[in-house]
Amino acid sequence: MIEKIIEILADQLDIEIEDIKADSHIQEELEADSLDVMDIMTEIEDEFDIEVEDDAIENLTSPEKIAAYIEGLKAN
């Protein structure tokens, strides 16, 4: 799952997959702005057939945190 999230980030941010780690901070390290984050979350929702709550977005700061969030949703 983390691999797919990293692919989405690389595509949305136009950066190399190799430059993204599981713990890379999306805004600070990968230099995503708020519009990028919204586009990423939309893509994540589509890819994993989930709905990301607005109040959760600010905590989804890395691929591993996004994966944990998705796993939590799928477990319920």
Coordinates of all heavy atoms in Angstrom, one line a residue:
M1 N 0.8 -1.2 0.0 CA 0.0 0.0 0.0 C 0.9 1.3 0.0 O 0.6 2.2 -0.7 CB -0.9 0.0 1.2 CG -1.8 1.2 1.3 SD -2.9 1.3 2.7 CE -3.8 -0.2 2.6
I2 N 1.9 1.2 0.8 CA 2.8 2.4 0.8 C 3.4 2.7 -0.5 O 3.5 3.8 -1.0 CB 3.9 2.3 1.9 CG1 3.3 2.4 3.3 CG2 5.0 3.3 1.7 CD1 4.2 2.3 4.5
E3 N 3.7 1.6 -1.3 CA 4.3 1.8 -2.6 C 3.3 2.5 -3.5 O 3.7 3.4 -4.3 CB 4.7 0.4 -3.2 CG 5.8 -0.3 -2.5 CD 5.4 -1.1 -1.3 OE1 4.1 -1.2 -1.1 OE2 6.3 -1.5 -0.5
K4 N 2.0 2.2 -3.5 CA 1.0 2.9 -4.3 C 0.9 4.3 -3.9 O 0.8 5.2 -4.7 CB -0.3 2.1 -4.2 CG -1.3 2.7 -5.1 CD -0.9 2.6 -6.6 CE -1.8 3.3 -7.5 NZ -1.3 3.3 -8.9
I5 N 0.9 4.6 -2.6 CA 0.8 6.0 -2.1 C 2.0 6.8 -2.6 O 1.9 7.9 -3.0 CB 0.7 6.0 -0.5 CG1 -0.6 5.3 -0.1 CG2 0.9 7.4 0.0 CD1 -0.7 5.0 1.4
I6 N 3.2 6.2 -2.5 CA 4.4 6.9 -3.0 C 4.3 7.1 -4.5 O 4.7 8.2 -5.0 CB 5.7 6.1 -2.6 CG1 5.9 6.2 -1.1 CG2 6.9 6.6 -3.4 CD1 7.0 5.3 -0.6
E7 N 3.8 6.2 -5.3 CA 3.5 6.4 -6.7 C 2.6 7.6 -6.9 O 2.9 8.4 -7.8 CB 2.9 5.1 -7.3 CG 3.9 4.0 -7.5 CD 3.2 2.8 -8.1 OE1 2.2 2.9 -8.8 OE2 3.6 1.7 -7.8
I8 N 1.5 7.7 -6.2 CA 0.6 8.8 -6.3 C 1.3 10.1 -6.0 O 1.1 11.1 -6.7 CB -0.6 8.6 -5.4 CG1 -1.5 7.4 -5.9 CG2 -1.5 9.8 -5.3 CD1 -2.6 6.9 -5.0
L9 N 2.1 10.1 -4.9 CA 2.8 11.3 -4.6 C 3.8 11.7 -5.7 O 3.9 12.9 -6.0 CB 3.6 11.1 -3.3 CG 2.7 11.1 -2.0 CD1 3.6 10.6 -0.8 CD2 2.1 12.4 -1.7
A10 N 4.5 10.8 -6.2 CA 5.5 11.1 -7.2 C 4.8 11.7 -8.5 O 5.3 12.6 -9.0 CB 6.3 9.8 -7.6
D11 N 3.7 11.1 -8.8 CA 2.9 11.5 -10.0 C 2.3 12.9 -9.8 O 2.5 13.8 -10.6 CB 1.8 10.5 -10.3 CG 1.0 10.9 -11.6 OD1 1.7 11.1 -12.6 OD2 -0.2 11.0 -11.5
Q12 N 1.7 13.1 -8.6 CA 1.1 14.4 -8.3 C 2.1 15.5 -8.1 O 1.8 16.7 -8.5 CB 0.2 14.3 -7.1 CG -1.0 13.4 -7.2 CD -2.1 14.1 -8.1 OE1 -2.3 15.3 -8.1 NE2 -2.7 13.3 -8.9
L13 N 3.2 15.2 -7.6 CA 4.2 16.3 -7.3 C 5.3 16.3 -8.4 O 6.2 17.1 -8.2 CB 4.8 16.0 -5.9 CG 3.8 16.1 -4.8 CD1 4.5 15.7 -3.5 CD2 3.2 17.4 -4.6
D14 N 5.2 15.4 -9.3 CA 6.2 15.4 -10.4 C 7.6 15.3 -9.9 O 8.5 16.1 -10.2 CB 6.1 16.6 -11.3 CG 6.8 16.5 -12.7 OD1 6.9 15.3 -13.1 OD2 7.2 17.5 -13.2
I15 N 7.8 14.3 -9.0 CA 9.2 14.0 -8.5 C 9.4 12.5 -8.6 O 8.5 11.7 -8.9 CB 9.3 14.4 -7.0 CG1 8.2 13.8 -6.1 CG2 9.3 15.9 -6.9 CD1 8.4 14.2 -4.7
E16 N 10.7 12.1 -8.5 CA 11.1 10.7 -8.7 C 10.6 9.9 -7.5 O 10.7 10.3 -6.3 CB 12.6 10.6 -8.8 CG 13.2 11.3 -10.0 CD 12.7 10.7 -11.3 OE1 12.6 9.4 -11.4 OE2 12.4 11.4 -12.3
I17 N 10.2 8.7 -7.7 CA 9.8 7.8 -6.7 C 10.9 7.5 -5.7 O 10.7 7.5 -4.5 CB 9.3 6.4 -7.3 CG1 7.9 6.6 -8.0 CG2 9.2 5.3 -6.2 CD1 7.4 5.4 -8.7
E18 N 12.1 7.5 -6.2 CA 13.3 7.2 -5.3 C 13.5 8.3 -4.3 O 14.2 8.1 -3.3 CB 14.5 7.0 -6.2 CG 14.5 5.8 -7.1 CD 13.7 6.1 -8.4 OE1 13.6 7.3 -8.8 OE2 13.2 5.2 -9.0
D19 N 13.0 9.5 -4.6 CA 13.1 10.6 -3.7 C 12.1 10.6 -2.5 O 12.2 11.5 -1.7 CB 13.0 11.9 -4.4 CG 14.2 12.1 -5.4 OD1 15.2 11.5 -5.2 OD2 14.0 12.9 -6.4
I20 N 11.2 9.7 -2.5 CA 10.2 9.6 -1.5 C 10.4 8.4 -0.6 O 10.5 7.3 -1.1 CB 8.8 9.6 -2.1 CG1 8.6 10.8 -3.1 CG2 7.7 9.6 -1.1 CD1 7.3 10.7 -3.9
K21 N 10.4 8.6 0.7 CA 10.5 7.5 1.7 C 9.2 7.4 2.4 O 8.4 8.3 2.4 CB 11.6 7.8 2.6 CG 13.0 7.9 2.0 CD 14.1 8.3 3.0 CE 15.4 8.5 2.4 NZ 15.5 9.4 1.2
A22 N 9.0 6.3 3.1 CA 7.8 6.1 3.8 C 7.5 7.2 4.9 O 6.3 7.5 5.1 CB 7.8 4.7 4.5
D23 N 8.6 7.7 5.4 CA 8.4 8.8 6.4 C 8.6 10.2 5.9 O 8.7 11.1 6.7 CB 9.3 8.5 7.6 CG 10.8 8.6 7.3 OD1 11.1 8.6 6.1 OD2 11.6 8.6 8.3
S24 N 8.7 10.4 4.6 CA 8.9 11.7 4.0 C 7.7 12.6 4.4 O 6.5 12.2 4.2 CB 9.0 11.7 2.5 OG 10.2 11.0 2.1
H25 N 8.0 13.8 4.9 CA 6.9 14.8 5.2 C 6.5 15.4 3.9 O 7.3 16.0 3.2 CB 7.4 15.8 6.2 CG 6.3 16.6 6.7 ND1 5.7 17.6 6.1 CD2 5.7 16.5 7.9 CE1 4.7 18.2 6.8 NE2 4.7 17.5 8.0
I26 N 5.2 15.3 3.6 CA 4.7 15.7 2.3 C 4.9 17.2 2.0 O 5.3 17.6 0.9 CB 3.2 15.3 2.1 CG1 3.1 13.7 2.1 CG2 2.6 15.9 0.9 CD1 1.7 13.2 2.2
Q27 N 4.6 18.0 3.0 CA 4.7 19.4 2.7 C 6.1 20.0 3.0 O 6.6 20.7 2.2 CB 3.7 20.2 3.6 CG 2.3 20.0 3.0 CD 1.2 20.8 3.7 OE1 1.0 20.6 4.9 NE2 0.6 21.8 3.1
E28 N 6.7 19.5 4.1 CA 8.0 20.1 4.4 C 9.2 19.5 3.5 O 10.0 20.3 3.0 CB 8.3 19.8 5.9 CG 7.5 20.6 6.8 CD 7.7 20.3 8.3 OE1 8.7 19.6 8.6 OE2 6.9 20.7 9.1
E29 N 9.2 18.2 3.3 CA 10.3 17.6 2.6 C 10.0 17.5 1.1 O 10.9 17.7 0.3 CB 10.6 16.2 3.1 CG 11.2 16.2 4.5 CD 11.3 14.8 5.0 OE1 12.0 14.0 4.3 OE2 10.9 14.5 6.1
L30 N 8.7 17.3 0.7 CA 8.4 17.1 -0.7 C 7.9 18.4 -1.3 O 7.5 18.4 -2.5 CB 7.4 16.0 -0.9 CG 7.9 14.6 -0.3 CD1 6.8 13.6 -0.5 CD2 9.2 14.2 -0.9
E31 N 7.7 19.4 -0.5 CA 7.4 20.8 -0.9 C 6.0 20.8 -1.6 O 5.8 21.6 -2.5 CB 8.4 21.4 -1.8 CG 9.8 21.5 -1.1 CD 10.9 22.0 -1.9 OE1 10.7 22.3 -3.1 OE2 12.0 22.2 -1.4
A32 N 5.0 20.1 -1.1 CA 3.7 20.1 -1.6 C 3.0 21.3 -0.9 O 3.2 21.6 0.3 CB 2.9 18.9 -1.2
D33 N 2.2 22.1 -1.7 CA 1.4 23.1 -1.1 C 0.0 22.6 -0.8 O -0.3 21.4 -1.0 CB 1.4 24.4 -2.0 CG 0.7 24.1 -3.4 OD1 -0.1 23.2 -3.5 OD2 1.0 24.9 -4.3
S34 N -0.9 23.4 -0.2 CA -2.2 23.0 0.2 C -3.0 22.4 -1.0 O -3.8 21.5 -0.8 CB -2.9 24.1 0.9 OG -3.0 25.2 0.1
L35 N -2.9 23.0 -2.1 CA -3.6 22.5 -3.3 C -3.1 21.2 -3.7 O -3.9 20.3 -4.0 CB -3.5 23.5 -4.5 CG -4.3 23.2 -5.7 CD1 -5.8 23.0 -5.4 CD2 -4.1 24.2 -6.8
D36 N -1.8 21.0 -3.7 CA -1.2 19.7 -3.9 C -1.8 18.6 -3.0 O -2.1 17.5 -3.4 CB 0.3 19.7 -3.8 CG 1.0 20.5 -4.9 OD1 0.6 20.5 -6.0 OD2 2.1 21.1 -4.5
V37 N -1.8 19.0 -1.7 CA -2.3 18.0 -0.7 C -3.8 17.6 -1.0 O -4.1 16.4 -0.9 CB -2.2 18.6 0.7 CG1 -3.0 17.8 1.7 CG2 -0.8 18.8 1.1
M38 N -4.6 18.6 -1.4 CA -6.0 18.3 -1.7 C -6.1 17.4 -3.0 O -6.8 16.4 -3.0 CB -6.8 19.5 -2.0 CG -7.0 20.4 -0.7 SD -7.5 19.5 0.8 CE -9.1 19.0 0.2
D39 N -5.2 17.6 -4.0 CA -5.2 16.8 -5.2 C -4.7 15.4 -4.8 O -5.3 14.4 -5.3 CB -4.3 17.3 -6.2 CG -4.9 18.6 -6.9 OD1 -6.1 18.8 -6.8 OD2 -4.1 19.3 -7.5
I40 N -3.7 15.3 -3.9 CA -3.2 14.0 -3.5 C -4.3 13.2 -2.7 O -4.5 12.0 -3.0 CB -2.0 14.1 -2.6 CG1 -0.8 14.6 -3.4 CG2 -1.7 12.8 -1.8 CD1 0.3 15.2 -2.6
M41 N -5.0 13.9 -1.8 CA -6.1 13.2 -1.1 C -7.2 12.7 -2.0 O -7.8 11.6 -1.8 CB -6.6 14.1 0.0 CG -5.6 14.4 1.1 SD -5.0 12.8 1.9 CE -3.3 13.3 2.2
T42 N -7.5 13.5 -3.0 CA -8.6 13.1 -3.9 C -8.1 11.8 -4.7 O -8.9 10.9 -4.8 CB -8.9 14.2 -5.0 OG1 -9.3 15.4 -4.2 CG2 -9.9 13.8 -6.0
E43 N -6.9 11.8 -5.1 CA -6.3 10.6 -5.8 C -6.3 9.4 -4.8 O -6.6 8.3 -5.3 CB -4.9 10.9 -6.3 CG -4.4 9.9 -7.2 CD -5.0 9.7 -8.5 OE1 -5.7 10.6 -9.0 OE2 -5.0 8.6 -9.1
I44 N -5.9 9.6 -3.6 CA -5.9 8.5 -2.6 C -7.4 8.0 -2.4 O -7.6 6.8 -2.4 CB -5.4 9.1 -1.2 CG1 -3.9 9.5 -1.3 CG2 -5.6 8.0 -0.1 CD1 -2.9 8.4 -1.4
E45 N -8.3 8.9 -2.3 CA -9.7 8.5 -2.1 C -10.2 7.6 -3.3 O -10.8 6.6 -3.1 CB -10.6 9.7 -2.0 CG -10.5 10.4 -0.7 CD -11.3 11.7 -0.6 OE1 -11.6 12.3 -1.7 OE2 -11.8 12.0 0.5
D46 N -9.8 8.1 -4.5 CA -10.2 7.3 -5.7 C -9.5 6.0 -5.8 O -10.2 4.9 -6.1 CB -9.9 8.1 -7.0 CG -10.8 9.3 -7.1 OD1 -11.8 9.5 -6.4 OD2 -10.4 10.2 -8.0
E47 N -8.3 5.9 -5.5 CA -7.5 4.7 -5.6 C -7.9 3.6 -4.6 O -8.0 2.5 -5.0 CB -6.0 5.0 -5.5 CG -5.1 3.8 -5.5 CD -5.0 3.1 -6.8 OE1 -5.2 3.8 -7.9 OE2 -4.9 1.9 -6.9
F48 N -8.2 4.1 -3.4 CA -8.5 3.1 -2.3 C -9.9 3.0 -2.0 O -10.3 2.3 -1.0 CB -7.6 3.4 -1.1 CG -6.1 3.3 -1.3 CD1 -5.3 4.4 -1.6 CD2 -5.6 2.0 -1.3 CE1 -4.0 4.2 -1.8 CE2 -4.2 1.8 -1.5 CZ -3.4 2.9 -1.8
D49 N -10.8 3.7 -2.7 CA -12.2 3.7 -2.5 C -12.6 4.0 -1.1 O -13.3 3.3 -0.4 CB -12.8 2.4 -3.0 CG -14.3 2.4 -3.1 OD1 -14.8 3.5 -3.4 OD2 -15.0 1.4 -2.9
I50 N -12.1 5.2 -0.6 CA -12.3 5.6 0.7 C -12.7 7.1 0.7 O -12.6 7.7 -0.4 CB -11.1 5.5 1.7 CG1 -9.9 6.3 1.1 CG2 -10.7 4.0 1.9 CD1 -8.8 6.5 2.1
E51 N -13.2 7.6 1.8 CA -13.4 9.0 2.0 C -12.5 9.5 3.1 O -12.7 9.1 4.3 CB -14.8 9.3 2.2 CG -15.1 10.8 2.2 CD -16.6 11.2 2.3 OE1 -17.4 10.4 1.8 OE2 -16.9 12.2 2.9
V52 N -11.6 10.5 2.8 CA -10.7 11.0 3.8 C -11.5 12.2 4.5 O -11.9 13.1 3.8 CB -9.4 11.5 3.2 CG1 -8.6 12.2 4.3 CG2 -8.7 10.4 2.6
E53 N -11.7 12.1 5.8 CA -12.3 13.1 6.6 C -11.5 14.4 6.5 O -10.3 14.3 6.7 CB -12.6 12.7 8.0 CG -13.4 11.5 8.2 CD -14.9 11.7 7.7 OE1 -15.4 12.8 7.9 OE2 -15.5 10.8 7.1
D54 N -12.1 15.5 6.4 CA -11.4 16.8 6.3 C -10.5 17.1 7.5 O -9.4 17.5 7.4 CB -12.4 18.0 6.2 CG -13.1 18.0 4.8 OD1 -12.5 17.4 3.9 OD2 -14.1 18.7 4.7
D55 N -11.0 16.7 8.7 CA -10.2 17.0 9.9 C -9.1 16.0 10.1 O -8.2 16.2 10.9 CB -11.1 16.9 11.2 CG -11.8 15.6 11.4 OD1 -11.9 14.8 10.4 OD2 -12.3 15.4 12.5
A56 N -9.0 14.9 9.3 CA -7.9 14.0 9.3 C -6.7 14.4 8.4 O -5.6 14.0 8.7 CB -8.4 12.6 8.9
I57 N -7.0 15.2 7.4 CA -6.0 15.6 6.4 C -4.7 16.2 7.0 O -3.6 15.8 6.6 CB -6.6 16.5 5.3 CG1 -7.6 15.7 4.5 CG2 -5.5 17.1 4.4 CD1 -8.4 16.6 3.5
E58 N -4.9 17.1 8.0 CA -3.7 17.7 8.6 C -2.8 16.7 9.3 O -1.6 17.0 9.5 CB -4.2 18.8 9.5 CG -4.8 18.3 10.8 CD -5.3 19.5 11.7 OE1 -6.0 20.4 11.2 OE2 -5.1 19.4 12.9
N59 N -3.3 15.6 9.7 CA -2.4 14.6 10.3 C -1.8 13.6 9.3 O -1.0 12.8 9.7 CB -3.2 13.8 11.4 CG -3.7 14.7 12.5 OD1 -3.0 15.6 12.9 ND2 -5.0 14.6 12.9
L60 N -2.2 13.6 8.1 CA -1.7 12.7 7.1 C -0.5 13.3 6.4 O -0.6 13.7 5.2 CB -2.9 12.3 6.1 CG -4.1 11.7 6.7 CD1 -5.2 11.4 5.7 CD2 -3.8 10.5 7.5
T61 N 0.6 13.3 7.1 CA 1.7 14.1 6.6 C 2.8 13.3 6.0 O 3.8 13.8 5.5 CB 2.4 14.8 7.9 OG1 2.7 13.8 8.9 CG2 1.4 15.8 8.4
S62 N 2.6 11.9 5.9 CA 3.7 11.1 5.2 C 3.0 9.9 4.7 O 1.8 9.5 5.0 CB 4.7 10.6 6.3 OG 4.1 9.7 7.2
P63 N 3.6 9.2 3.7 CA 3.0 8.0 3.2 C 2.7 6.9 4.2 O 1.6 6.3 4.2 CB 4.1 7.4 2.2 CG 4.9 8.6 1.8 CD 4.9 9.5 3.0
E64 N 3.5 6.7 5.2 CA 3.2 5.8 6.3 C 2.0 6.2 7.1 O 1.2 5.3 7.5 CB 4.4 5.5 7.2 CG 4.9 6.6 8.0 CD 6.3 6.4 8.6 OE1 6.8 5.3 8.5 OE2 6.8 7.3 9.3
K65 N 1.8 7.4 7.4 CA 0.6 7.9 8.1 C -0.6 7.8 7.3 O -1.7 7.4 7.8 CB 0.8 9.3 8.6 CG 1.8 9.5 9.7 CD 1.9 10.9 10.2 CE 2.9 10.9 11.4 NZ 3.1 12.2 11.9
I66 N -0.5 8.0 6.0 CA -1.7 7.8 5.1 C -2.0 6.3 5.0 O -3.2 6.0 5.1 CB -1.4 8.3 3.7 CG1 -1.2 9.8 3.7 CG2 -2.5 7.9 2.7 CD1 -0.7 10.4 2.4
A67 N -1.0 5.4 4.9 CA -1.3 4.0 4.9 C -2.0 3.5 6.2 O -2.9 2.7 6.2 CB 0.0 3.2 4.7
A68 N -1.5 4.0 7.3 CA -2.1 3.6 8.6 C -3.6 4.1 8.7 O -4.4 3.4 9.2 CB -1.3 4.2 9.8
Y69 N -3.8 5.3 8.2 CA -5.2 5.8 8.2 C -6.1 4.9 7.3 O -7.2 4.6 7.7 CB -5.2 7.3 7.6 CG -6.5 7.9 7.5 CD1 -7.2 8.4 8.7 CD2 -7.2 8.0 6.3 CE1 -8.4 9.0 8.6 CE2 -8.5 8.6 6.2 CZ -9.1 9.1 7.4 OH -10.3 9.7 7.3
I70 N -5.6 4.6 6.1 CA -6.4 3.8 5.2 C -6.7 2.4 5.8 O -7.8 1.9 5.8 CB -5.7 3.6 3.8 CG1 -5.7 4.9 3.1 CG2 -6.4 2.6 3.0 CD1 -4.8 5.0 1.9
E71 N -5.6 1.8 6.4 CA -5.8 0.5 7.1 C -6.8 0.6 8.2 O -7.6 -0.3 8.4 CB -4.4 0.0 7.6 CG -3.5 -0.4 6.5 CD -2.1 -0.7 6.9 OE1 -1.7 -0.5 8.1 OE2 -1.3 -1.0 6.0
G72 N -6.8 1.7 8.9 CA -7.8 1.9 10.0 C -9.2 1.9 9.5 O -10.1 1.4 10.1
L73 N -9.4 2.6 8.4 CA -10.7 2.7 7.7 C -11.2 1.3 7.2 O -12.3 1.0 7.4 CB -10.7 3.7 6.6 CG -10.6 5.2 6.9 CD1 -10.5 6.0 5.6 CD2 -11.7 5.6 7.8
K74 N -10.2 0.6 6.6 CA -10.6 -0.7 6.0 C -10.9 -1.7 7.1 O -11.6 -2.7 6.9 CB -9.4 -1.2 5.1 CG -9.2 -0.3 3.9 CD -10.2 -0.5 2.9 CE -9.8 0.3 1.6 NZ -10.8 0.1 0.6
A75 N -10.3 -1.5 8.3 CA -10.5 -2.5 9.4 C -11.9 -2.3 10.0 O -12.4 -3.3 10.6 CB -9.4 -2.3 10.5
N76 N -12.5 -1.2 9.8 CA -13.8 -0.9 10.4 C -14.9 -1.4 9.6 O -15.1 -1.5 8.5 CB -14.0 0.6 10.7 CG -13.1 1.1 11.8 OD1 -12.8 0.3 12.7 ND2 -12.8 2.3 11.8

